[in-house]
Amino acid sequence: MKKVGFFRSIHLKFVLIYVLLILIAMQIIGVYFVSKVERQLVDNFSTSLQERIQLLAYSIEQEIKKPRDDTTPKLEEDIRTVLQDITMEDISEVRVIDNKSKVLGTSDPYNQARMVGKRTTELSIKRALVVGSPSEKIAIDPNTGYRMQLIVAPIKTNSQEIIGAIYLEASMEDVYGQMRQINSIFTTGTILALAVTAVLGILLAQTITRPMSDMRKQALEMARGNFSRKVNIYGNDEIGQLALSFNNLTKKLQEAQATTEGERRKLSSVLSHMTDGVIATDRKGRIILINEPALGMINVSRETVLQKPIVEVLGIDESHTFESLVSEQESIILDFSLEDKPLILRASNSIIQKETGFINGLITVLHDITEQEKIDHERREFVANVSHELRTPLTTMRSYLEALAEGAWKDKEIAPKFLDVTQTETERMIRLVNDLLQLSKMDSRDYRFNKTSVEFIEFFNKVIDRFELSKSQKVTFVRDLPNQEVFVSLDGDKITQVLDNIISNAMKYSPEGGTITFSVHIEETNQILVSISDQGVGIPKADLNKVFERFYRVDKARTRMLGGTGLGLAIAKEMINAHDGDIWASSQEGKGTKIFFTLPITQVEQEDEWS
Ligand code: ADP
């Protein structure tokens, strides 16, 4: 935040307010006081003039009334004598006029000759002579520019007869000089008062502005996340209490922030450690939060998706808009499969809503349902396969039985053949159902193996011997077995079944006169590697892993003809895996197939007497 300039500061405003208040107060007092003083001075001045005029009027009246003859001086001379006594600084001229408007005398020596004996034309004098009332006015002396008090007073006898008038001009300069002095004292006083107020104002304002500026700094620091500062408390007034509340607020905020931070950390740890992906958006559908699992699932970096619309990032902008996600809130299945890695996600949406109902955003939880989908798919496929596998022998049987029922049973040649076919198909169905039962037993968790420590080479030889004795084909068996005893912990019945499946396959697909090689190797990894290879049709490379899947057959028509169920290798795989071993196949198309499996060794006898 910008620093507050001095001219905009509250400090200056306080000082200005103080100074203005004092100025206004001084002005009001000044105007009232000066006008009062001025009126008082002027009143005093005119009262003193009036008093002197009255004295003078009395003297003049005496002079006028005085009986005169040739021996006595003339009236004008007596009046001049009276007027000469009036020596006052402020009175500039006094004229005496008789009742016929003739000037009898003047105190101004320069006007003696010009005025005495002449008739005056002054209107106010004439009015005074006629009406008998005094008049007062203020005029400006054209020569000096001073204010003059002009007083005209009638001279009356005791019987109220007007016998003349006195005209007096007095300079008011003294009065106004005093007024100027008073004004200047007042102005100096005001300036002094203002200066003192300004200084005091600055000091006093500081007591308010300093805590405020402290609080401002504190607020700025708080905005930056620093809660360690405290505001100084200078007193217990309102500002002091404000500072105290401010400090309390800081503490509360700090606690609230710590709580929020703690919650945020918890949330982020929960989000990053959960296996589901979580995406949160703002109210416009732009991503504001995305956790690591979500980033991994949709294979993007956080920087590229933040603030991007969720519908675009999840690639659902064609089927859904953000608004439809918000209103429907149903889960959507998204396919993020790559060429080598299938990935099916279920996006469940829920909205973030305020108490008022205002929608703040959307939370999308991405759940990896690839495995579930795969299992569902496999289950559907399994049911379809089982139905298909059962339908084929059943339809064959139905058609043969229909033929028999329609009369073929009478035919001695065809009837046994047809019966033979139905018997073969029934056996195949029994085999299939048995295999299925075996698989389903193994799928159930409580399936138990009856493991014992078995000397594997002897065990293997016995199985091969059984096949060698019962074989009807012309195939040669070659045994490449070590001359030592190897003990393996196994369930004899189950591993016999595995070997039966593999060997019968090898024999099934072996050509006439082919060789089947049985070998056992003791591996350094403390396990035996068993392999059974034939010189048959082989398995295409693409199908090598798939032959261990349920119902998978490379050449469906052919294997069915050979009586296979497509479950033999799947069962073998389950069993080998349950013995902590591995099973796989290698093949060269047209040249032969080799099936390998491993089993962990429990003990090896180094003696090689056995052959
Ligand atoms: P099946 O009962 O049909 O033989 P398996 O699970 O035992 O079922 O075998 C699966 C498929 O693998 C067979 O249908 C066959 O196509 C192929 N297969 C298995 N063993 C061999 C082999 N030795 N030579 C060629 N193909 C084989």
Side-chain angles (χ1 to χ4, degrees):
M1 202 189 282
K2 246 172 56 184
K3 197 175 181 308
V4 181
F6 177 73
F7 291 104
R8 287 165 166 256
S9 70
I10 195 161
H11 207 125
L12 179 73
K13 281 176 195 155
F14 271 123
V15 176
L16 280 178
I17 289 168
Y18 289 148
V19 168
L20 281 173
L21 281 177
I22 291 294
L23 195 68
I24 290 166
M26 293 300 272
Q27 284 302 311
I28 292 169
I29 295 168
V31 168
Y32 180 72
F33 176 74
V34 169
S35 66
K36 275 276 175 202
V37 168
E38 185 181 341
R39 188 165 312 145
Q40 194 62 46
L41 285 177
V42 171
D43 282 355
N44 287 350
F45 182 68
S46 51
T47 314
S48 92
L49 284 180
Q50 290 288 353
E51 280 168 0
R52 273 181 279 170
I53 285 174
Q54 272 173 21
L55 266 174
L56 188 64
Y58 179 74
S59 310
I60 303 274
E61 188 193 342
Q62 297 306 315
E63 289 303 332
I64 291 173
K65 278 186 183 165
K66 208 195 262 174
R68 294 184 192 278
D69 53 29
D70 291 345
T71 55
T72 52
K74 283 173 80 178
L75 177 62
E76 282 84 354
E77 279 168 21
D78 281 340
I79 285 174
R80 191 187 302 157
T81 320
V82 171
L83 290 178
Q84 267 167 3
D85 293 342
I86 303 167
T87 49
M88 284 191 72
E89 273 183 23
D90 45 358
I91 296 175
S92 44
E93 190 183 359
V94 183
R95 285 179 215 155
V96 179
I97 299 108
D98 69 4
N99 55 0
K100 295 190 181 75
S101 302
K102 194 176 91 179
V103 177
L104 294 176
T106 169
S107 64
D108 187 348
Y110 304 105
N111 280 347
Q112 288 287 352
R114 196 165 58 85
M115 294 207 136
V116 177
K118 304 268 169 63
R119 285 177 73 91
T120 182
T121 52
E122 198 74 35
L123 260 177
S124 53
I125 298 172
K126 284 189 170 169
R127 198 178 302 126
L129 288 174
V130 174
V131 182
S133 62
S135 73
E136 255 183 55
K137 74 171 184 186
I138 292 171
I140 305 285
D141 186 337
N143 300 326
T144 56
Y146 292 159
R147 254 171 285 202
M148 308 291 286
Q149 177 98 321
L150 304 181
I151 303 176
V152 179
I155 307 168
K156 291 182 184 169
T157 60
N158 286 343
S159 55
Q160 295 298 315
E161 184 197 346
I162 299 162
I163 52 170
I166 296 171
Y167 170 85
L168 184 139
E169 273 182 27
S171 163
M172 295 181 83
E173 199 43 36
D174 261 8
V175 175
Y176 286 98
Q178 278 177 34
M179 278 314 299
R180 270 196 296 280
Q181 260 179 2
I182 290 168
N183 272 338
S184 85
I185 290 167
F186 208 86
T187 311
T188 323
T190 306
I191 289 167
L192 265 173
L194 287 180
V196 172
T197 310
V199 173
L200 277 178
I202 289 170
L203 294 176
L204 284 175
Q206 259 182 7
T207 60
I208 296 170
T209 56
R210 201 187 303 145
M212 283 174 114
S213 129
D214 265 13
M215 277 185 260
R216 183 179 155 272
K217 276 186 202 144
Q218 163 81 348
L220 282 176
E221 285 297 314
M222 271 159 65
R224 287 194 200 111
N226 176 9
F227 293 95
S228 58
R229 261 181 71 123
K230 277 206 163 186
V231 178
N232 283 335
I233 298 166
Y234 297 96
N236 199 24
D237 56 359
E238 285 89 335
I239 292 191
Q241 285 184 359
L242 179 65
L244 197 72
S245 311
F246 202 83
N247 283 341
N248 280 340
L249 178 76
T250 311
K251 211 168 115 196
K252 290 264 160 58
L253 257 176
Q254 188 174 16
E255 282 165 10
Q257 218 221 7
T259 318
T260 317
E261 183 61 20
E263 292 297 322
R264 200 187 61 77
R265 271 206 213 106
K266 263 188 248 166
L267 179 69
S268 104
S269 137
V270 167
L271 282 178
S272 57
H273 286 98
M274 64 194 288
T275 45
D276 287 347
V278 177
I279 303 175
T281 73
D282 61 10
R283 62 193 171 85
K284 287 189 174 159
R286 286 181 303 233
I287 296 176
I288 50 170
L289 184 145
I290 180 163
N291 69 349
E292 287 299 327
L295 290 171
M297 283 174 186
I298 56 179
N299 199 18
V300 285
S301 72
R302 181 170 276 120
E303 294 71 40
T304 52
V305 293
L306 279 181
Q307 292 304 322
K308 286 262 173 67
I310 188 168
V311 282
E312 187 190 310
V313 172
L314 292 182
I316 49 175
D317 42 349
E318 275 160 29
S319 48
H320 285 84
T321 58
F322 176 66
E323 286 69 31
S324 73
L325 289 184
V326 167
S327 58
E328 290 165 17
Q329 285 187 55
E330 58 184 26
S331 46
I332 312 163
I333 304 296
L334 302 168
D335 190 350
F336 274 93
S337 302
L338 298 173
E339 260 178 33
D340 51 340
K341 191 176 155 223
L343 182 61
I344 311 289
L345 301 176
R346 189 177 56 228
S348 314
N349 303 304
S350 57
I351 48 173
I352 315 169
Q353 211 166 13
K354 276 191 182 174
E355 282 160 10
T356 51
F358 181 78
I359 292 167
N360 250 355
L362 185 80
I363 298 267
T364 302
V365 177
L366 299 176
H367 188 63
D368 184 350
I369 52 161
T370 318
E371 204 53 36
Q372 197 186 326
E373 279 287 294
K374 202 175 136 203
I375 292 168
D376 282 354
H377 177 76
E378 278 172 4
R379 190 170 296 138
R380 282 195 298 273
E381 208 171 38
F382 183 75
V383 172
N385 278 330
V386 171
S387 330
H388 183 76
E389 291 299 328
L390 287 172
R391 202 181 57 199
T392 319
L394 282 171
T395 6
T396 317
M397 280 168 65
R398 190 179 62 186
S399 48
Y400 279 84
L401 288 172
E402 272 173 8
L404 283 167
E406 279 166 13
W409 64 276
K410 290 178 200 156
D411 192 321
K412 281 193 179 151
E413 270 190 29
I414 300 170
K417 276 188 199 162
F418 278 18
L419 283 171
D420 196 38
V421 172
T422 50
Q423 200 175 356
T424 319
E425 290 301 319
T426 314
E427 273 163 17
R428 197 149 77 96
M429 278 199 295
I430 292 168
R431 259 201 323 276
L432 183 75
V433 172
N434 280 340
D435 282 355
L436 282 171
L437 269 175
Q438 174 118 38
L439 273 174
S440 87
K441 265 194 218 161
M442 283 168 67
D443 285 344
S444 75
R445 290 204 183 146
D446 48 339
Y447 186 74
R448 291 192 186 278
F449 285 89
N450 192 12
K451 286 186 189 171
T452 49
S453 185
V454 175
E455 202 291 298
F456 189 75
I457 309 299
E458 191 191 350
F459 171 80
F460 196 21
N461 266 314
K462 277 188 186 158
V463 177
I464 304 166
D465 288 346
R466 189 160 41 83
F467 272 92
E468 199 152 30
L469 288 172
S470 64
K471 73 178 182 211
S472 51
Q473 281 166 273
K474 262 187 92 185
V475 280
T476 318
F477 281 10
V478 177
R479 304 181 201 210
D480 172 19
L481 307 173
N483 284 336
Q484 63 189 117
E485 293 186 337
V486 185
F487 287 88
V488 176
S489 166
L490 50 79
D491 182 328
D493 284 352
K494 303 294 176 296
I495 298 298
T496 309
Q497 202 181 339
V498 170
L499 289 169
D500 280 1
N501 270 328
I502 298 170
I503 299 169
S504 60
N505 273 346
M507 289 180 65
K508 255 193 277 180
Y509 297 104
S510 275
E512 205 52 25
T515 306
I516 297 175
T517 312
F518 305 90
S519 76
V520 174
H521 275 280
I522 299 168
E523 300 280 287
E524 281 174 9
T525 49
N526 206 28
Q527 54 183 9
I528 48 164
L529 174 68
V530 183
S531 70
I532 295 140
S533 63
D534 63 59
Q535 293 172 329
V537 286
I539 303 167
K541 222 179 179 130
D543 296 320
L544 271 179
N545 282 329
K546 293 183 187 163
V547 292
F548 295 100
E549 288 172 13
R550 294 171 188 190
F551 296 110
Y552 193 84
R553 280 173 292 208
V554 177
D555 181 348
K556 290 201 165 48
R558 204 177 134 194
T559 44
R560 214 168 274 139
M561 217 170 61
L562 291 167
T565 57
L567 293 173
L569 287 180
I571 294 172
K573 186 177 162 68
E574 294 283 342
M575 287 179 172
I576 293 293
N577 286 348
H579 279 82
D580 301 321
D582 241 337
I583 185 164
W584 68 96
S586 76
S587 172
Q588 262 190 308
E589 252 192 291
K591 290 198 173 163
T593 308
K594 200 169 185 177
I595 306 285
F596 299 88
F597 68 83
T598 60
L599 286 172
I601 300 173
T602 47
Q603 195 191 340
V604 185
E605 282 295 322
Q606 291 303 328
E607 310 299 315
D608 55 1
E609 299 305 308
W610 191 86
S611 65

